[in-house]
Each structure stands twice: as structure tokens, then as C-alpha cells.
Amino acid sequence: MAERGKRHLMAGMAAVLVLALSLAAVVSGYWSVPGNTINNLTMSSYQTRIVEKYQVPEYVNPSDEIVKVVHVENTGTVDTLIRVSVEKAFGTRGEDGSFLKDETLDPDMIEIRYHDDWWEQKEDGYFYYKEILKAGTRTKEPLLDSYRLSEKADNRYRKKDARIIVSMESVQAEGDGVRLWDMTWEELGIARPAQGESKDTSVHYQGREKGFDITRTQTDLFASFKNLLPGCARTQKITAANDSAEQTELFLRAEATEQKTMNIRQAALVQKLLNQYAKIRITGEKGVLYEGPVSGNLSGSEMTMKYNISLGQFAPGEKKELQVTLSLDPAMDNHYQDLTGKVRWVFTAVGEDEEGPPVETALPPRTGDETRLLMWAALMLTSGVFLAGTFLLMEWNRRKREDK
């Protein structure tokens, strides 16, 4: 009986070994090549200011001309629309320097010299700048450059302070910011700006030895996702290409990456930007591949970029286009200005050697993270060998006890 038990054990181990070698042959026929790129989203700096040249006079006599030059300057990184309101008043100064308005005096006795080549006063009382104020520029002419006290002013205006209060409002030119003023581009009299052209980027798989070449000249696929504003939407076209001589399947997933050095508050804002406010939609030849936070961390859904999504099978020399649309929540406030958020995209090429078995018959249906196939196959193989060996050893010991 002992001899027979040994024979059973040897036969069982041989069967396990055959199974192991068979699975190893299947698994060894497959290969995967990873490549990654860090993509940047940058928020704009939205800042405009009044630039004034003015020295308060001790007193003003009728007909005296006082220099007061008022420009608007765009010190941010995005183009803006500008409107300005002007309030005139007479009054006196309190001991603390505050201005005490005198309602009995007529503010129209302050006569202002406005410029109308580049400014237009509309029915709502605002003065509108007649073109888009580009980032880093100032108005081509001032709204006003001087004022004087009317000759009609009598002694009631003597020793009174004349005050001109200039208030400026601006909205971004992109994304129909003019609607915030309850106006249309036609009513404003300014040509609507053309949408910025998308800067196409690309991902090239060059073979097992060379790996991936991301965009050829740079490593950031988000070329069009820069200088962003709340409520804006941008579209980026990405070409995925198989430059190798082998049939391959390309996959994409998103991973967390280290952000730009910043304080705790800024870091929290960046996480909220990537996980909540910035949404992307990735569309391929078979429709929507992913729709959710730009971080890819869409919890509670099968549509997530935490695990690989297939971009399709690529024949040698084949190219396919991905369209990526980014949209920012208009609820974002000015705290997000000048922030940069980083997103790591990992591409993986998966294929099989020509001598390997067909994909359809050699392996079970693909689900989840397919580039981890080798790891799971190896784990299953090891577990199977261990369990089979343990079972056979227990059986041999049982038979040995029975023989006794």
C-alpha cells in the first residue's frame, strides 16, 4: 500500500507540473510595456486695476482745469471686458479724513473731460471699453484726463471738496462673461472672440525596446488645458499611434502624483480642483471611455480611470484619435487663481508573441486591469501548485496511516 501511495503521489505531482508548465507557456506568450506622462492644468490669474494719475488740489477755482488721468490695466493672464462707473460729489472732509457728502450741491458742476474714441457710455450709465482688454495691457486711452469746476458755480461751492469716484468692473472675455452684465456681444458692440485653437498632442508606441514617445516634443498631453477660468470648457485632441511592427492593445489609467510644492491650504484647493471641480470626458472610436473628475478617481462607478481602460486594438502603423473635453465648475472662486494641478497618465501596450496561443482560447475573458494579467496568472499558478501539493501530501499521509 505504501508503494501504491507513492505512485499516486508521483502521478499527482506530475499532473500538477504539467499544468504549471502549460500555464507558464500561456503566460509567457504575453508582454506589456508601460509609459507615463505628467499632465498639467493651470488656472489663470484674473486681475484688473484702475491706474490713476491725480494729485488732490488744496482748492479749485471756477474754470481751473485739474489733471486726473484714469486708465484700466489688465495685470492678469486672461483677456477681459471692462466697464467703469463715475460718481461725482461735493462735500467736506472730517477730522479723520473721511468725506462728508453735501446733498444740497449739484455734482454736475464738476465738468469732466471724457474720451470717447475707445469708451462709450450706454443707457445704464456705465462707460464700456470698446474692445477686449488683453492680458498684460492697459486701455489705449484713458477714460478721462481732467476736470474743472463749472463757471456757473457760486459761493456755495467755495472751499468745498470735489470728489470723483471711479469704480471698475471686469469679466472674462472667454466663456461669454458678458452675460454676467445681462448683455449680448451685439449690444456691447464688440466682436465675440474666436475660441482658442486646440493644440493636438500624441502618444506613440514604438515597440518593446523603445517604449512610448509622448507628444514627440514634450511630455504634457494637456497642451490646451492652460490658463483656465471657472466655467470655461476646452477640447484637446490626442492621437494614439502604434509605430511598432507588432499588433498591440493600448490601455490608459490615471495615477496620483506629487503636486507642486505648496502650503497646506493650496494643496487642499488643488485636490478639490482635481477631484471635484475639473471634469473630463474622453471619447474614442467606440464612444465615451471615461467621464468624471480629471483625477480619474470616480468612486462608486465602473467608469473609473483608477484601473486600465482599453483604447482598442492597434495594428502595426495604425492611429486612433481621442477627444478629451475639460470643463470647470463656474462655482469656483478666486482662491483657485494661479494654481497648477498635476495628473499622471499611464499608458500600457499589451501584446502576445507570435508563437503564443490565441488570446480567445488561451485566457479567460478580460476584465478590470488587464495589464496585470501576468501577475494574476502567476499568483493563480502558485496557489494551484501549493494547494494541489498540500492535498496530495495529506492524501499520502492518510494512506500511510491506513497501511500501518
Side-chain angles (χ1 to χ4, degrees):
M1 292 293 290
E3 188 63 30
R4 187 174 63 182
K6 282 186 178 181
R7 287 199 300 271
H8 281 297
L9 176 62
M10 294 301 293
M13 293 301 291
V16 170
L17 180 59
V18 170
L19 175 63
L21 292 175
S22 299
L23 287 175
V26 171
V27 172
S28 64
Y30 287 85
W31 48 265
S32 66
V33 179
N36 71 85
T37 175
I38 294 179
N39 306 313
N40 296 314
L41 303 175
T42 62
M43 297 297 298
S44 66
S45 172
Y46 180 70
Q47 297 175 347
T48 51
R49 64 173 184 167
I50 292 175
V51 180
E52 185 175 89
K53 179 183 178 182
Y54 178 56
Q55 184 172 356
V56 179
E58 291 185 7
Y59 58 88
V60 178
N61 293 319
S63 300
D64 285 351
E65 189 170 30
I66 309 300
V67 174
K68 183 180 177 70
V69 182
V70 176
H71 274 282
V72 177
E73 189 173 54
N74 183 351
T75 58
T77 59
V78 293
D79 300 344
T80 59
L81 301 172
I82 302 296
R83 71 178 184 181
V84 175
S85 64
V86 178
E87 180 186 355
K88 301 180 292 184
F90 286 102
T92 57
R93 269 183 222 163
E95 293 183 0
D96 59 355
S98 61
F99 180 73
L100 303 175
K101 186 176 180 180
D102 189 339
E103 299 285 356
T104 66
L105 301 179
D106 183 5
D108 286 339
M109 290 296 155
I110 302 172
E111 299 176 344
I112 298 176
R113 192 161 81 98
Y114 293 106
H115 290 271
D116 57 11
D117 288 342
W118 291 93
W119 297 89
E120 179 184 2
Q121 188 176 26
K122 295 188 178 295
E123 292 181 359
D124 58 8
Y126 283 98
F127 293 86
Y128 288 82
Y129 190 57
K130 291 183 179 181
E131 70 172 27
I132 294 171
L133 188 59
K134 300 290 186 181
T137 67
R138 71 164 54 183
T139 48
K140 293 181 179 179
E141 70 176 6
L143 170 63
L144 58 99
D145 60 15
S146 64
Y147 72 92
R148 68 176 185 172
L149 180 62
S150 173
E151 295 178 352
K152 298 178 182 179
D154 54 32
N155 287 334
R156 291 179 301 155
Y157 296 89
R158 193 165 176 264
K159 294 186 178 180
K160 297 291 183 178
D161 279 353
R163 176 156 294 193
I164 300 173
I165 303 171
V166 179
S167 301
M168 182 266 300
E169 293 181 14
S170 64
V171 295
Q172 68 264 22
E174 183 183 352
D176 283 341
V178 67
R179 292 183 181 179
L180 297 175
W181 291 340
D182 293 325
M183 297 184 70
T184 64
W185 289 99
E186 291 74 17
E187 291 171 334
L188 193 60
I190 296 177
R192 183 175 182 173
Q195 296 296 322
E197 295 184 1
S198 173
K199 299 177 182 179
D200 299 342
T201 53
S202 59
V203 178
H204 293 261
Y205 172 66
Q206 299 180 306
R208 294 188 233 179
E209 292 185 0
K210 294 184 178 180
F212 284 89
D213 182 5
I214 310 292
T215 75
R216 299 285 175 162
T217 58
Q218 58 181 349
T219 59
D220 189 350
L221 291 172
F222 289 175
S224 298
F225 299 161
K226 305 292 185 284
N227 214 21
L228 301 169
L229 283 165
C232 75
R234 304 273 179 88
T235 298
Q236 175 78 58
K237 186 175 74 174
I238 300 174
T239 300
N242 177 16
D243 294 345
S244 76
E246 298 179 293
Q247 176 84 14
T248 185
E249 185 173 6
L250 296 183
F251 295 87
L252 170 64
R253 72 176 183 271
E255 289 184 352
T257 187
E258 185 176 352
Q259 299 296 326
K260 179 181 176 181
T261 302
M262 57 189 71
N263 58 42
I264 295 176
R265 173 182 165 277
Q266 290 173 323
L269 289 173
V270 167
Q271 290 305 310
K272 198 166 186 178
L273 168 68
L274 299 180
N275 292 313
Q276 179 178 337
Y277 284 142
K279 303 289 181 66
I280 58 169
R281 178 187 177 97
I282 304 176
T283 307
E285 62 177 4
K286 294 184 179 180
V288 178
L289 303 175
Y290 172 76
E291 187 170 14
V294 70
S295 65
N297 188 20
L298 183 60
S299 58
S301 172
E302 293 182 359
M303 186 176 283
T304 176
M305 287 183 67
K306 292 174 62 178
Y307 307 106
N308 279 329
I309 55 176
S310 175
L311 304 182
Q313 292 281 347
F314 287 72
E318 185 176 5
K319 297 180 180 179
K320 296 181 181 181
E321 289 186 358
L322 301 176
Q323 181 170 294
V324 183
T325 300
L326 171 78
S327 58
L328 291 186
D329 194 321
M332 298 172 63
D333 56 32
N334 290 335
H335 291 110
Y336 290 85
Q337 290 191 78
D338 286 331
L339 288 181
T340 297
K342 297 182 178 182
V343 179
R344 184 193 302 276
W345 274 13
V346 179
F347 291 88
T348 306
V350 176
E352 59 175 317
D353 293 322
E354 292 183 0
E355 64 272 14
V359 175
E360 291 77 12
T361 59
L363 296 172
R366 299 177 178 178
T367 58
D369 188 355
E370 302 186 39
T371 61
R372 301 184 182 181
L373 178 62
L374 299 180
M375 179 187 73
W376 287 111
L379 180 59
M380 291 172 62
L381 174 62
T382 304
S383 301
V385 171
F386 176 77
L387 292 174
T390 301
F391 174 77
L392 290 174
L393 182 60
M394 292 174 61
E395 180 66 15
W396 184 72
N397 285 332
R398 186 182 67 79
R399 292 178 179 274
K400 189 176 181 180
R401 288 195 299 272
E402 289 178 353
D403 290 341
K404 292 180 179 181

